[in-house]
Amino acid sequence: TMSLREHALSLFRGAVGTVRPAPMLKRALKLQRDGCPQLLVKGQAFPVKRDLYLVGFGKAVLGMAAAAEEILGDHLTRGIISVPLGIQESLQRAGMQEMLLKPHSKIQVIEGAKNNLPDEEALKGAVAILELAEGLTADDLLLVLISGGGSALLPAPIPPILLKEKEKLTKMLASRGAAIQELNIVRKTLSVLKGGGLAQLAHPAQVVSLILSDVIGDPLDIIASGPTAPSSHSVQDCLQILTKYNLLHNLPKSVETVLSSSPTKPTAPENYSHVSNIILGSNTVALEEAKRQAEGLGYAALVLSAAVQGEVGRVATLYCQLIQLVCLSFASLGKGPLSDELRGNLLQLAAELQIPGLDLDEFLQALGELGPDRPVCILAGGETTVQLQGTGKGGRNQELALRVGLGLHKAQATGASSPQGRCEILFLSGGTDGQDGPTEAAGAFCSPGLVAEALQEGLDVEAFLRNNDSYTFFSQFQGGHHLLVTGFTGTNVMDIQAILIRAM
């Protein structure tokens, strides 16, 4: 029989594989050539009356564009994409030819946004995209490819604002503690292309956006700052934020000029009738594939949520308690004071974490109905946060895995959940982009047994966690066998967690 580790690895690879640019586009996008050519996206038809253009921006867009050009063939008139600095060389080195454009491609590639910050190169890319969009007619079709990281790759401040003035304002807001949502509202208000600007410039052409989401809940106006989605914010919202952080009175002249002449209401949604925004890949899509594969391996599989967020320690506690609950039901102790206490704790924790769209009551009921004879797989995704206290090396996925392993080991050691001893448990957490923090790992596998062995060998697991040094722990222990190393994947739909439990 395969080990739980092999199962978990296979589920993770399957989930990531389904949101890789090429397979994702090939499933969703077809070109029907007979008669009047039509672009078919997930069954929706868009007639190609005259010319078909392509623009794109984001970390996964190069692979998306390569796949799209293969599907569109001669029907593609011209394209421009703005992608991160050095990405073509990285893909070349990693031997990922399928994510690179062919030598005589009609798509121009502009690399910029060094360190994920808008710069002059990214501005060049944005201006080229802007000029292409402005020149379109009612008979043209513009295919827009969008993925995470698109925001920094599409900077085009409204004249007379200069890029460095907009940057300085964003930095000042950030240093005063503005939330990412607030920063995005200000950026969108001062930008030509964000907040639906690109879609408005391309009017009257038909605009079809294919989106790979790296944001919890897949909000169209947040992913890459929503260049083809109606913005729900107005200039009033921007002014309120600037007032809140005491910046209204020391704004650059250019910003004042733009704010005073901005329309007070956001563009009405009916002005977007020429736009279709279609999410092709997301954490939910990846989890559905993992669930399908888990069932194929004989597991009773459930998806907890694709929107898990919150501080990594609290999320680890949530997973530990869920695992203990499953082990109790394996030991036929699913009813009783201990499981009631766990349920109560779980419901309180879930309420505190405010995971969007999670009905934990309903989930626990489904869990209770699984029966003790089949191994269980619980899947989840999203993005946790780590408050850095130490100077160690690690990432949020490796830290989460180590915390879950330690939490389970402690529960076992205190005898609070002796039934856990009759369960084989494995927890996996990994970043779908193949990178977790500043390490070459995507995440890690962990189990209570692993922590027990490490403690026997004299490793102080809690000290590693206090120093945010999970990577060092996993790489030192058992030759790094428990690190999840996938290499750069060319996609990103946040993180994926898998909990595998079988009776011993």
Side-chain angles (χ1 to χ4, degrees), residues 154-471:
L154 203 67
I158 299 171
I161 302 174
L162 300 173
L163 184 61
K164 54 175 189 282
E165 292 176 318
K166 189 174 147 188
E167 277 315 280
K168 192 175 161 200
L169 179 60
T170 313
K171 281 202 181 102
M172 277 162 70
L173 276 166
S175 70
R176 293 182 185 201
I180 183 73
Q181 286 83 350
E182 295 177 312
L183 292 175
N184 281 342
I185 291 170
V186 173
R187 276 191 200 127
K188 282 199 289 193
T189 313
L190 305 178
S191 168
V192 183
L193 295 170
K194 295 181 171 127
L198 177 60
Q200 292 305 318
L201 283 172
H203 185 270
Q206 171 77 54
V207 178
V208 180
S209 284
L210 308 182
I211 302 167
L212 179 65
S213 167
D214 68 334
V215 182
I216 284 191
D218 309 333
L220 292 172
D221 61 334
I222 305 284
I223 305 163
S225 302
T228 58
S231 171
S232 42
H233 304 106
S234 66
V235 78
Q236 291 333 106
D237 299 309
C238 178
L239 292 169
Q240 253 172 335
I241 292 163
L242 294 171
T243 308
K244 175 178 168 184
Y245 294 102
N246 248 335
L247 287 171
L248 207 49
H249 301 298
N250 47 5
L251 292 174
K253 203 94 212 101
S254 59
V255 174
E256 280 181 17
T257 308
V258 167
L259 288 175
S260 61
S261 60
S262 294
T264 49
K265 286 193 177 64
T267 312
E270 56 267 23
N271 295 2
Y272 287 85
S273 58
H274 64 298
V275 185
S276 295
N277 286 306
I278 300 161
I279 290 189
L280 291 193
S282 65
N283 194 275
T284 304
V285 171
L287 289 175
E288 279 164 6
E289 177 60 22
K291 178 175 192 276
R292 202 181 64 75
Q293 295 202 11
E295 286 165 350
L297 291 168
Y299 287 87
L302 290 173
V303 173
L304 175 70
S305 164
V308 173
Q309 55 185 15
E311 199 275 313
V312 68
R314 306 194 61 74
V315 174
T317 306
L318 180 85
Y319 287 144
C320 286
Q321 293 179 343
L322 266 178
I323 291 165
Q324 288 171 36
L325 207 52
V326 176
C327 290
L328 282 176
S329 66
F330 271 16
S332 311
L333 298 169
K335 307 262 182 291
L338 188 54
S339 77
D340 290 347
E341 185 190 343
L342 278 171
R343 262 168 218 277
N345 291 346
L346 271 168
L347 290 167
Q348 190 183 339
L349 198 57
E352 285 169 25
L353 285 168
Q354 294 184 321
I355 295 167
L358 171 62
D359 184 342
L360 192 63
D361 257 333
E362 196 181 311
F363 181 82
L364 293 177
Q365 188 163 350
L367 201 56
E369 288 162 9
L370 290 181
D373 41 354
R374 275 170 75 196
V376 171
C377 170
I378 297 173
L379 295 157
E383 209 157 81
T384 57
T385 43
V386 175
Q387 317 245 277
L388 286 177
Q389 266 133 11
T391 54
K393 196 172 175 189
R396 57 179 184 252
N397 288 289
Q398 294 163 71
E399 179 150 334
L400 179 60
L402 190 52
R403 283 181 183 279
V404 169
L406 180 65
L408 291 171
H409 169 76
K410 279 184 170 171
Q412 216 163 338
T414 56
S417 64
S418 50
Q420 204 183 289
R422 296 179 217 169
C423 279
E424 191 188 352
I425 302 162
L426 184 83
F427 178 82
L428 162 73
S429 187
T432 54
D433 58 359
Q435 296 166 306
D436 186 37
T439 75
E440 88 278 10
F445 305 87
C446 203
S447 65
L450 180 79
V451 171
E453 283 171 52
L455 293 169
Q456 268 167 347
E457 286 186 24
L459 287 172
D460 184 347
V461 177
E462 298 203 31
F464 280 104
L465 283 169
R466 273 196 303 277
N467 195 27
N468 298 115
D469 204 14
S470 52
Y471 173 76

